[in-house]
Amino acid sequence: MGTGAGQEPDLSLTTPRLYIVRIDVVYSAPHVDRTDLPRAAGVQPRHGYDLKRAYDERFGRSRPLHFGQVYATLSRLLKNGLVEVDGVEPGGGPDRKRYAITDAGVTDVSRWLAQPEKPEPYLQSTLYAKVVLALMTGRPAADLLDSQRAEHLRLMRELTRRKSDGDLAEQLICDHALFHLEADLRWLELTAARLDDLAKEVSA
Amino acid sequence: MSGTSLLVADDLRKSFGATPALDGASMEVDAGEIVAVMGPSGSGKSTLLHCVAGIVRPDSGRVFYGGREISLLRDAERSALRRGQFGFVFQFGQLVPELTCLENVALPLRLERMRRRAAERQAAQWLERLEVGDVAGKRPGEVSGGQGQRVAVARALVTSPKVIFADEPTGALDSLNGERVMRLLTAAARETHAAVVLVTHEARVAAYSDREIVVRDGRTRDMARAVS
């Protein structure tokens, strides 16, 4: 996670954008039974531009979608029969296509929503590697842990402020990041308490 | 020492029997500043808070409040200082079980000889502010943990203290209630320009502060100054 000073926290690194777009397409289809899905956006078939805007408003504040990603995704969904072109409208430039989800698309989204995400074990932690390298090269590992701790808390303060100014959706997004950062901090604390033992193992 | 800090602790040492709790701990807090004191269990962070708040006298070292050395004050003087200038929130609220929530919040004002009606009027305003106006007539045993802790925060704020000492104020609460207590506590402190010394081992709670001080083995490390 990028935590450099002054850098906006990136909360969407793990967001599967492809499926976010699919969900918005689901909402856009008037002929689909949406009773098993949370209601959120409009109910009309959508243009690529509308999908991008809906995604950015809800999920992409710190990392908006590129138009290229939206159209590449729609083209892939179209090819796989998960969306269809609902209509074409002339615009100022090229004609604009409206997309709607197909029954196969609805099934695909339902399957994706029902499938748990794979938990990430973080076994190749950069922080762990830095601590070990510091110990191996005789550098102050405790200082490294302290400065990392301060940087984590700086970001947590920023997210807490952002949460207090935000709506419920914003609060939930920030909470997700805050809990992960807190887990990192607990690891930093535990590692600091075990630093002497780790130094012995590394030097053995 | 900066010379401008509201609260200064300098090289505090304190042992309980043969067990050292503080071993050269120092900290400074400016007016209106929210400072988190963090550290693992047994690191000495609560002892530091008790020394800085004048509850416990350190074996050595000095504590200043507003330029006055409080570690030299007699017990009665320290008690008066705590009642008039400081507010306290503890992990389990520590409300008086026989009194209603309204009476609990009015109690610090009554101890300062304010008339009952005026004291309860102010107490009712703080209960409303802490979003627990509806439990004013109930006793602490009849309200939830989160409500009780918000009553305790109202009691700490009712005297308009210059410093609020909060020792693990969310330690007995779930995430949602803990967050609500912290949001209301810090908002009220900022509005009244009260400083807060917040002892916590939870990073999400510390994230409501302006900066943190870490206590390890009875010694302090001011992280903002260490990293900058």
Side-chain angles (χ1 to χ4, degrees):
Chain A
M1 183 174 288
T3 58
Q7 188 178 327
E8 184 164 358
D10 186 350
L11 304 178
S12 58
L13 282 178
T14 57
T15 304
R17 293 170 162 233
L18 173 69
Y19 286 103
I20 296 309
V21 173
R22 284 188 196 182
I23 288 174
D24 268 315
V25 175
V26 171
Y27 291 130
S28 77
H31 63 279
V32 169
D33 177 8
R34 290 180 295 275
T35 52
D36 61 338
L37 290 169
R39 198 175 179 80
V43 292
Q44 298 301 314
R46 293 189 178 199
H47 304 108
Y49 174 77
D50 297 331
L51 288 168
K52 171 188 159 43
R53 199 176 53 188
Y55 173 88
D56 289 348
E57 278 174 8
R58 202 168 297 117
F59 303 104
R61 188 179 128 159
S62 58
R63 196 176 170 222
L65 281 174
H66 297 297
F67 280 107
Q69 284 178 285
V70 177
Y71 290 110
T73 301
L74 284 170
S75 142
R76 199 157 51 241
L77 294 172
L78 195 61
K79 186 177 161 194
N80 293 334
L82 301 174
V83 297
E84 62 194 8
V85 177
D86 181 76
V88 179
E89 293 171 359
D95 289 348
R96 286 158 39 113
K97 290 178 187 168
R98 281 196 317 270
Y99 295 89
I101 198 165
T102 62
D103 290 343
V106 172
T107 305
D108 186 58
V109 170
S110 297
R111 192 186 308 124
W112 173 69
L113 288 175
Q115 185 176 347
E117 291 296 308
K118 185 180 175 187
E120 294 184 44
Y122 301 112
L123 289 177
Q124 301 298 324
S125 160
T126 306
L127 282 179
Y128 170 72
K130 279 188 167 183
V131 171
V132 171
L133 281 173
L135 291 172
M136 287 171 68
T137 55
R139 291 182 170 84
D143 288 356
L144 182 160
L145 290 170
D146 277 347
S147 63
Q148 188 62 53
R149 172 202 183 88
E151 188 62 13
H152 266 61
L153 260 171
R154 187 197 64 74
L155 180 57
M156 289 182 77
R157 285 196 180 92
E158 192 178 320
L159 289 165
T160 301
R161 276 193 296 274
R162 182 170 153 184
K163 195 169 80 164
S164 65
D165 297 335
D167 58 15
L168 183 58
E170 183 81 352
Q171 288 170 25
L172 288 172
I173 287 173
C174 290
D175 274 335
H176 187 260
L178 281 164
F179 277 110
H180 278 81
L181 289 165
E182 186 181 39
D184 278 355
L185 270 171
R186 291 175 69 173
W187 180 86
L188 289 169
E189 199 61 57
L190 196 65
T191 304
R194 292 170 164 174
L195 216 43
D196 289 345
D197 292 340
L198 184 61
K200 282 180 202 157
E201 281 198 13
V202 167
S203 62
Chain B
M1 275 181 272
S2 69
T4 59
S5 296
L6 179 66
L7 198 58
V8 178
D10 183 30
D11 197 24
L12 301 184
R13 290 165 202 277
K14 177 73 184 174
S15 295
F16 296 100
T19 310
L22 295 180
D23 185 21
S26 300
M27 67 181 286
E28 296 182 21
V29 181
D30 292 339
E33 191 180 27
I34 300 178
V35 177
V37 179
M38 302 186 73
S41 298
S43 59
K45 53 189 189 298
S46 287
T47 304
L48 176 61
L49 179 140
H50 290 162
C51 286
V52 172
I55 298 171
V56 167
R57 206 187 286 272
D59 297 336
S60 68
R62 299 185 299 172
V63 179
F64 296 87
Y65 170 71
R68 191 176 173 201
E69 188 172 351
I70 66 171
S71 33
L72 294 179
L73 297 179
R74 287 174 299 173
D75 286 351
E77 291 173 313
R78 281 191 292 141
S79 294
L81 178 72
R82 286 199 301 270
R83 277 205 313 275
Q85 303 287 308
F86 299 164
F88 293 89
V89 184
F90 298 101
Q91 183 172 358
F92 296 105
Q94 298 191 348
L95 300 170
V96 181
E98 292 81 6
L99 301 181
T100 65
C101 290
L102 182 70
E103 290 165 341
N104 263 286
V105 177
L107 189 59
L109 298 173
R110 296 285 289 145
L111 289 172
E112 293 296 305
R113 303 184 186 284
M114 185 182 280
R115 287 180 180 278
R116 177 185 294 273
R117 185 168 293 182
E120 292 191 348
R121 194 166 50 240
Q122 276 193 37
Q125 287 170 356
W126 274 107
L127 285 172
E128 286 295 334
R129 175 72 200 274
L130 271 293
E131 301 173 1
V132 276
D134 54 333
V135 304
K138 293 185 176 175
R139 291 193 165 73
E142 299 171 319
V143 303
S144 71
Q147 288 170 327
Q149 200 62 337
R150 278 181 277 147
V151 172
V153 172
R155 186 181 60 181
L157 287 160
V158 75
T159 55
S160 303
K162 294 280 185 282
V163 187
I164 299 163
F165 294 95
D167 192 356
E168 301 282 7
T170 64
L173 304 179
D174 59 45
S175 296
L176 203 56
N177 276 300
E179 184 173 303
R180 197 170 179 188
V181 164
M182 284 313 301
R183 180 172 51 79
L184 292 166
L185 169 62
T186 51
R190 292 200 192 283
E191 195 173 296
T192 57
H193 203 59
V196 180
V197 179
L198 171 67
V199 166
T200 183
H201 67 279
E202 293 179 80
R204 274 179 306 110
V205 173
Y208 283 87
S209 68
D210 299 317
R211 65 183 169 90
E212 76 275 13
I213 290 168
V214 175
V215 186
R216 283 199 196 101
D217 301 324
R219 286 185 289 273
T220 45
R221 182 144 196 220
D222 186 327
M223 299 312 293
R225 282 154 208 187
V227 173
S228 61

